[in-house]
Amino acid sequence: AQTVTQSQPEMSVQEAETVTLSCTYDTSESDYYLFWYKQPPSRQMILVIRQEAYKQQNATENRFSVNFQKAAKSFSLKISDSQLGDAAMYFCAYRTGNQFYFGTGTSLTVIP
Amino acid sequence: GAVVSQHPSWVICKSGTSVKIECRSLDFQATTMFWYRQFPKQSLMLMATSNEGSKATYEQGVEKDKFLINHASLTLSTLTVTSAHPEDSSFYICSARQPLSLGELFFGEGSRLTVL
């Protein structure tokens, strides 16, 4: 069975600093996608970044980057130069075929 | 990115009544949509997969007769909570995957249901 684990229920970061959110997953599949979603207080889920499993290069989107370790089944999200608007719940997600699996989320607080 | 719109954003109803929530893909056709339920400070729980032109696929433990899903067109799926009770109060979120996309889900704004 596929599972996604986020071991950090809550994290905090000082504004302008860097924070890393952890995510591990369990799968026997070789072809899959990984995502990080952000859910701000407005509650709408927003895609932050995606990673295709067949790609060795880590995905980057502006201040957001991932550290994808396929063998270790690890997919962490690094937020650089944190901003107040980054405060939200962050969900790691795994997709294979038409099935999506979400982690339990990490609540990120950004301290001014 | 693709746009998924959900309506209403919030609804309050009396116990025993039915409530319909709409999910529309505004700029793409979605043969499949997903309905999630989210409790406070928890993750998304997949309720069902809505398939255009056919019956929805429900996850284990989700009552088909309680949560009616209809996917009548390629851009619209509806979730009807029938005979709602206070324990049905929750945040309901729909999502869709754009065909031929890189695989991510696009989410609606969510609907907050409160049953009195």
Side-chain angles (χ1 to χ4, degrees), chain A residues 21 28 32 50 56 88 91 98 106 108:
Chain A
L21 308 184
S28 56
Y32 53 88
R50 76 170 73 81
Q56 292 184 335
F91 291 96
N98 221 20
T106 297
L108 178 66

Side-chain angles (χ1 to χ4, degrees), chain B residues 47-115:
Chain B
M47 299 176 64
T49 301
S50 172
N51 303 298
E52 188 271 333
S54 64
K55 292 182 179 180
T57 303
Y58 289 82
E59 295 300 301
Q60 192 172 10
V62 178
E63 299 177 59
K64 300 178 183 180
D65 296 331
K66 160 70 78 175
F67 300 101
L68 299 179
I69 291 173
N70 183 276
H71 196 151
S73 77
L74 287 171
T75 59
L76 174 63
S77 175
T78 60
L79 167 67
T80 302
V81 183
T82 63
S83 186
H85 290 285
E87 57 265 30
D88 298 324
S89 299
S90 192
F91 192 65
Y92 294 88
I93 308 173
C94 75
S95 67
R97 185 163 67 87
Q98 193 175 19
L100 304 179
S101 72
L102 293 176
E104 67 267 30
L105 287 177
F106 294 94
F107 289 85
E109 303 91 331
S111 300
R112 165 73 60 196
L113 171 63
T114 301
V115 184

Side-chain angles (χ1 to χ4, degrees), chain A residues 3-111:
Chain A
T3 58
V4 179
T5 302
Q6 292 180 249
S7 59
Q8 306 153 316
E10 297 178 344
M11 291 283 285
S12 62
V13 62
Q14 205 77 32
E15 193 176 5
E17 296 296 311
T18 296
V19 65
T20 299
L21 308 184
S22 301
C23 173
T24 59
Y25 58 96
D26 184 27
T27 184
S28 56
E29 303 287 338
S30 58
D31 183 23
Y32 53 88
Y33 294 82
L34 295 164
F35 310 92
W36 278 98
Y37 282 91
K38 170 184 177 181
Q39 188 179 38
S42 66
R43 305 303 297 274
Q44 185 168 20
M45 299 275 283
I46 303 166
L47 177 69
V48 174
I49 199 165
R50 76 170 73 81
Q51 174 82 43
E52 293 92 327
Y54 64 86
K55 289 188 176 179
Q56 292 184 335
Q57 186 173 6
N58 289 324
T60 299
E61 288 287 342
N62 300 313
R63 298 182 295 108
F64 300 89
S65 61
V66 298
N67 183 2
F68 174 45
Q69 302 290 327
K70 191 172 183 178
K73 297 178 182 176
S74 171
F75 182 61
S76 61
L77 174 69
K78 185 171 81 171
I79 306 174
S80 304
D81 186 25
S82 297
Q83 300 176 359
L84 295 177
D86 294 333
M89 281 289 289
Y90 286 82
F91 291 96
C92 177
Y94 161 98
R95 175 208 153 210
T96 182
N98 221 20
Q99 298 294 317
F100 286 82
Y101 302 89
F102 290 87
T104 50
T106 297
S107 177
L108 178 66
T109 300
V110 180
I111 304 167

